[in-house]
């Protein structure tokens, strides 16, 4: 990255920090944001535990071709497969967690995003969208993004078998792709509020790619921490709203003194 891009990346990561500060200062936002994330977090924790419990059997299944190899190379291949499976499960978990949580908690996160928008000047061109239509749009957009995560996840899973590269380069690529998809996902509500769809979101974020990646990668990293996805989700929604405003050229400095 160039110096300017690095600063933008750091600024994007800082948006998550700003979101965290706002959430910690507002019990109302914290409460609204934690409930849906907690419900989905419990379900995903159970799924991850099941994956870890059966990873040996799954590794043997996907490396059937190594059954007749020598013990050393067969075991090495299955260890790499296990690491790749857990890594892929983590990547899918992070991406789909956000999509599912935003879908389930749509009314909650719509409220949080609206409070943040009001704090920084409001939305003069706001488009009224019914709850049913909002949920339908969120479902379609989330399915598209989950599809993209699967499309990228399969090659990353296969690359995970490559010694050294699969345990160093591939996780970095996964975090970059995952961060981008999270940035797109978490800016959905502010763009819907303006009557804009997924293609508009992607176009606006592409024009601010280092900023969006900084924010998304920071969220991705926090989501990998145990319970991180649950605890950070409200701050991620606030940060996503700030990212959307910045990408649209709107102020993210306080213009209206209003309690959250």
């Amino acid at each position: 990255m160039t110096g300017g891009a690095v600063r933008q990346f750091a600024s994007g990561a800082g948006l998550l920090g700003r979101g965290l500060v706002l959430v910690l200062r507002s019990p109302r936002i914290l409460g609204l944001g934690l409930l849906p994330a907690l419900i989905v977090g419990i379900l995903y924790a159970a799924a991850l535990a099941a994956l870890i419990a059966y990873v040996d059997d799954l590794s043997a299944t996907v490396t059937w071709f190594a059954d007749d190899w020598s013990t050393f190379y067969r075991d090495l291949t299955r260890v790499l497969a296990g690491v790749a499976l857990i890594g892929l499960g983590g990547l899918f978990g992070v991406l789909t967690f956000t999509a599912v949580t935003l879908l389930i908690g749509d009314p909650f996160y719509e409220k949080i995003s609206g409070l943040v928008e009001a704090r920084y000047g409001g939305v003069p061109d706001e488009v009224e969208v019914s709850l049913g239509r909002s949920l339908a749009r969120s479902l379609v957009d989330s399915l598209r993004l989950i599809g993209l995560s699967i499309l990228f996840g399969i090659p990353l899973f296969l690359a995970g078998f490559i010694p050294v590269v699969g345990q160093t380069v591939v996780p970095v690529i996964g975090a970059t792709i995952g961060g981008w998809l999270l940035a797109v996902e978490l800016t959905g509500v502010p763009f819907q509020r303006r009557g804009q769809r997924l293609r508009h979101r992607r176009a606006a974020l592409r024009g601010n790619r280092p900023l969006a990646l900084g924010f998304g990668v920071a969220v991705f990293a926090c989501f990998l921490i145990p319970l991180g996805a649950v605890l950070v989700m409200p701050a991620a929604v606030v940060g996503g709203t700030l990212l959307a405003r910045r990408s649209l050229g709107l102020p993210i400095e306080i213009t209206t003194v209003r309690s959250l």
Side-chain angles (χ1 to χ4, degrees):
M1 290 186 185
T2 64
V6 171
R7 285 192 294 272
Q8 285 292 302
F9 186 92
S11 179
L15 293 178
L16 178 61
R18 289 182 60 174
L20 183 60
V21 170
L22 285 173
V23 167
L24 292 177
R25 289 178 176 175
S26 174
R28 182 182 182 188
I29 286 183
L30 184 62
L32 283 172
L34 280 181
L35 182 58
L38 181 61
I39 293 171
V40 178
I42 292 171
L43 296 176
Y44 273 56
L48 180 60
L51 173 62
I52 293 173
Y54 292 99
V55 70
D56 290 341
D57 294 336
L58 293 172
S59 297
T61 300
V62 299
T63 58
W64 53 268
F65 53 84
D67 287 346
D68 297 327
W69 293 5
S70 67
T71 301
F72 174 78
Y73 288 108
R74 183 182 66 238
D75 291 347
L76 176 61
T77 300
R78 289 179 176 171
V79 168
L80 293 175
V83 172
L85 281 168
I86 293 175
L88 182 64
L91 176 62
F92 286 165
V94 167
L95 296 176
T96 58
F97 175 90
T98 305
V100 173
T101 303
L102 288 174
L103 184 62
I104 291 176
D106 186 78
F108 298 93
Y109 297 128
E110 174 75 33
K111 180 66 174 178
I112 291 174
S113 181
L115 290 171
V116 175
E117 296 260 33
R119 179 181 178 88
Y120 292 100
V123 185
D125 54 346
E126 183 171 359
V127 175
E128 291 292 335
V129 179
S130 67
L131 178 59
R133 189 175 179 184
S134 175
L135 287 172
R137 285 184 177 181
S138 295
L139 177 60
V140 171
D141 289 349
S142 295
L143 289 175
R144 287 177 180 173
L145 290 168
I146 291 172
L148 285 174
S149 70
I150 294 173
L151 180 65
F152 288 116
I154 292 175
L156 289 174
F157 167 70
L158 296 175
F161 287 96
I162 304 173
V164 182
V165 172
Q167 291 74 53
T168 55
V169 177
V170 171
V172 173
I173 295 174
T176 302
I177 294 174
W180 173 257
L181 293 177
L182 284 174
V184 174
E185 184 72 35
L186 287 163
T187 51
V189 171
F191 276 88
Q192 282 193 32
R193 185 176 288 114
R194 293 164 173 83
Q196 299 186 28
R197 300 297 302 279
L198 181 58
R199 65 180 183 276
H200 303 114
R201 246 186 291 169
R202 288 193 292 220
L205 294 178
R206 276 196 297 267
N208 297 270
R209 194 182 299 273
L211 185 76
L213 280 175
F215 170 73
V217 170
V219 174
F220 185 91
C222 289
F223 278 15
L224 292 178
I225 301 170
L227 295 179
V230 174
L231 299 176
V232 175
M233 191 64 189
V237 172
V238 174
T241 303
L242 296 177
L243 173 61
R245 291 183 63 86
R246 173 70 68 83
S247 299
L248 292 168
L250 297 172
I252 57 172
E253 301 301 328
I254 297 177
T255 60
T256 302
V257 178
R258 179 173 175 173
S259 173
L260 294 180

